[in-house]
Amino acid sequence: MRTDGELRFLRISARFQKTVAASTAILLLGWLVLSGNLLASQISMLAERSSVAAMLADAQRTYRGAVRRQKSAEALANDLEARQRALEAVAAEHFDLPGASLTAPSAAVSTNRQNSPEARLKTLEQRQTAFIRQVDLLASARMRRAERTMASLGLDPIKLAGSGEGTGGPYVPGIGVGDDLLRLAETIEKLERLERALLSIPSFMPAEGGRLSSGYGLRRDPFHRRAAMHQGQDFSGPHRSDIRAAAAGTVIRSGWWGGYGRIVIVDHGRGIRTRYAHLAETSVRRGDTVARGETIGAMGSTGRSTGTHLHFEVRIDGKPVNPRPFLEASDHVLEIQDRAGERRQEQADAG
């Protein structure tokens, strides 16, 4: 170093230099360690933030899933309650009693809205399972009763109530319909076919107040006085008294027909037809639809007849059968036919 023209020398020993170098190195190393720690801390903080964000995202997804499940359970509970109302409507329509009377009171169908959807679902499922079982038992019992009634009349239930009628339509999935409900629907469908077939049975007395004057079967012919087969029943009564349809159906003939004189033939479907002969006059025409008990003519003595009376026949697939069991049909047949008449009247009043 030069000071006031005088040159001076500052001697730094090797030891001092090593000490300074070592101190510098230590400081540098400390700075590097500190910087590393700060960097690691920042990385750790970023990782923690990322983990927290992931946890928050998971929590949000879990919450949204829970909300969806809650809404789904609520919707399912509402669907089940709607199905319960539909089941009660089925019971009311087919069994003439409130559906809810089969199980608990109707007010219990809509369970307490303050309950959780899961609790509502459990209650509804239990009630509907019991409900379907009871309705199925009632439908099956009525079906067996209809089959016994047909068999007692010499009719084949399978043939008379067969499912040969055409069916179809666009496919619409029955969402939420279980096997139990599907089986019940099939049972009720079969019951409806059987009871519709019972409506075809001619059980209404065609000559009101008429007296049986000749039965079905072998007898002496009133004209030739020889053995002959009488294919119907004769009912005597006042001249021009009302003749009524023994069951609902369609008139396929009305007018004069040989030895029958004036006649009305009614087709009741399923191969069942009735003939009303020797009429003084007819009050229906071919193609008319008649109800059970509706007046279709007046008693007379036209055609091959010895006096005022009604000749009444029942034919199954064209073959004559004894009308007596049909006219003496069980209360079951009359019950079904009366109920159908009441429903038609209700529909007509509503229309």
Side-chain angles (χ1 to χ4, degrees):
M1 293 185 295
R2 188 181 295 275
T3 304
D4 297 332
E6 185 176 354
L7 183 62
R8 294 182 180 181
F9 294 93
L10 180 62
R11 188 178 299 275
I12 301 176
S13 65
R15 181 178 179 182
F16 181 75
Q17 292 181 36
K18 291 178 182 179
T19 300
V20 171
S23 299
T24 302
I26 291 172
L27 290 173
L28 180 60
L29 180 60
W31 179 80
L32 289 174
V33 171
L34 181 60
S35 297
N37 288 336
L38 290 174
L39 180 60
S41 177
Q42 290 179 351
I43 292 174
S44 176
M45 186 178 297
L46 289 175
E48 289 178 0
R49 289 179 179 176
S50 177
S51 176
V52 170
M55 291 174 63
L56 288 175
D58 288 341
Q60 289 176 345
R61 283 193 295 272
T62 301
Y63 173 75
R64 286 194 294 267
V67 170
R68 283 196 299 269
R69 285 193 297 274
Q70 181 81 3
K71 291 181 178 178
S72 176
E74 181 76 20
L76 183 56
N78 292 335
D79 288 344
L80 284 174
E81 288 175 351
R83 189 173 86 149
Q84 181 68 25
R85 290 190 292 271
L87 288 172
E88 292 181 357
V90 168
E93 178 181 358
H94 294 279
F95 302 100
D96 294 333
L97 48 83
S101 69
L102 297 174
T103 52
S106 182
V109 173
S110 296
T111 52
N112 192 339
R113 296 284 177 171
Q114 296 179 351
N115 292 342
S116 68
E118 290 77 9
R120 291 170 56 201
L121 286 174
K122 184 176 180 180
T123 300
L124 284 166
E125 288 175 348
Q126 291 174 345
R127 291 194 65 248
Q128 289 188 7
T129 298
F131 187 93
I132 290 172
R133 186 181 301 113
Q134 292 181 59
V135 173
D136 184 70
L137 289 174
L138 286 175
S140 298
R142 263 183 40 187
M143 192 164 58
R144 289 191 297 271
R145 185 182 179 193
E147 291 172 342
R148 288 195 300 269
T149 298
M150 290 181 183
S152 69
L153 296 173
L155 302 173
D156 183 355
I158 297 177
K159 180 180 179 180
L160 197 62
S163 58
E165 301 173 351
T167 59
Y171 172 68
V172 180
I175 299 175
V177 177
D179 290 341
D180 54 351
L181 192 56
L182 182 59
R183 284 192 299 271
L184 176 61
E186 291 172 344
T187 300
I188 289 179
E189 181 184 4
K190 184 176 180 181
L191 171 63
E192 286 181 334
R193 290 201 306 269
L194 285 168
E195 293 191 342
R196 281 198 303 268
L198 288 177
L199 297 179
S200 304
I201 293 177
S203 60
F204 191 90
M205 177 61 69
E208 186 175 0
R211 180 179 60 84
L212 181 65
S213 56
S214 182
Y216 173 89
L218 188 66
R219 70 172 184 178
R220 187 179 297 276
D221 181 78
F223 291 94
H224 298 302
R225 309 306 298 173
R226 292 194 298 266
M229 182 66 186
H230 190 220
Q231 296 181 333
Q233 283 187 322
D234 291 343
F235 296 93
S236 61
H239 186 69
R240 301 188 71 82
S241 58
D242 288 343
I243 301 302
R244 304 177 185 275
T250 302
V251 176
I252 61 172
R253 190 181 190 103
S254 179
W256 194 277
W257 192 24
Y260 284 107
R262 287 192 180 89
I263 188 173
V264 172
I265 301 179
V266 180
D267 185 352
H268 306 286
R270 295 173 173 80
I272 302 176
R273 293 180 178 180
T274 49
R275 296 180 178 183
Y276 311 79
H278 307 312
L279 303 180
E281 65 177 9
T282 63
S283 54
V284 292
R285 295 181 297 178
R286 181 180 179 181
D288 287 351
T289 299
V290 295
R292 174 175 175 267
E294 181 177 340
T295 299
I296 58 176
M299 186 179 293
S301 183
T302 58
R304 195 171 183 271
S305 169
T306 61
T308 299
H309 74 286
L310 168 71
H311 173 78
F312 175 69
E313 291 184 12
V314 176
R315 291 184 175 245
I316 308 295
D317 295 330
K319 298 179 180 180
V321 297
N322 190 352
R324 180 174 179 175
F326 293 87
L327 297 179
E328 296 177 352
S330 66
D331 292 340
H332 181 212
V333 176
L334 301 179
E335 175 189 331
I336 296 297
Q337 293 178 338
D338 289 341
R339 184 162 60 233
E342 291 173 0
R343 288 180 180 172
R344 281 195 299 270
Q345 186 61 46
E346 290 174 357
Q347 292 172 355
D349 295 341

